[in-house]
């Protein structure tokens, strides 16, 4: 048995995590006396948005140099 969070959006039940439910699998649905803000829940489901952005040129160069140095270590380890 598995418990999951979700909400009813007026048309269907929306789970807040991915589920693997088989056809005809029985479920138990519990209706709570609590309400959510769907927009806030939608934002929680996409945490990667906070990482979107652009690096400045200096940071990009530092990262690329570190990757090149890491490749050198990998090549040396393969020998």
């Amino acid at each position: 048995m598995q418990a999951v969070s979700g909400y009813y959006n007026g048309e269907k039940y929306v789970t807040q995590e991915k589920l693997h439910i088989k056809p005809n699998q029985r479920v138990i649905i519990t209706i709570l006396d609590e309400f959510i803000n769907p927009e806030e829940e939608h934002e929680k489901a996409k945490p990667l948005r906070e990482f979107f952005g652009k690096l400045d040129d200096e940071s990009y160069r530092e990262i690329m140099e570190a990757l090149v140095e890491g490749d050198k270590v990998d090549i040396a380890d393969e020998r």
Side-chain angles (χ1 to χ4, degrees):
M1 188 147 101
Q2 176 183 7
V4 297
S5 301
Y7 60 93
Y8 181 68
N9 70 3
E11 295 178 10
K12 61 183 178 179
Y13 293 96
V14 179
T15 61
Q16 294 173 300
E17 55 214 60
K18 287 191 174 195
L19 298 177
H20 301 287
I21 301 175
K22 297 176 183 173
N24 301 318
Q25 185 173 352
R26 292 180 54 110
V27 299
I28 297 172
I29 299 172
T30 304
I31 310 301
L32 304 175
D33 292 329
E34 300 172 10
F35 297 87
I36 60 139
N37 180 338
E39 291 176 7
E40 288 176 5
E41 294 302 319
H42 182 69
E43 289 299 316
K44 287 181 191 175
K46 298 189 177 186
L48 294 179
R49 284 186 178 183
E50 65 189 66
F51 298 109
F52 287 171
K54 182 177 184 282
L55 293 174
D56 59 24
D57 290 340
E58 182 180 344
S59 296
Y60 174 78
R61 279 192 296 277
E62 288 177 11
I63 291 171
M64 293 308 295
E65 287 174 14
L67 290 172
V68 168
E69 291 300 313
D71 287 343
K72 290 178 184 176
V73 172
D74 291 341
I75 291 170
D77 287 344
E78 290 175 0
R79 292 182 186 163

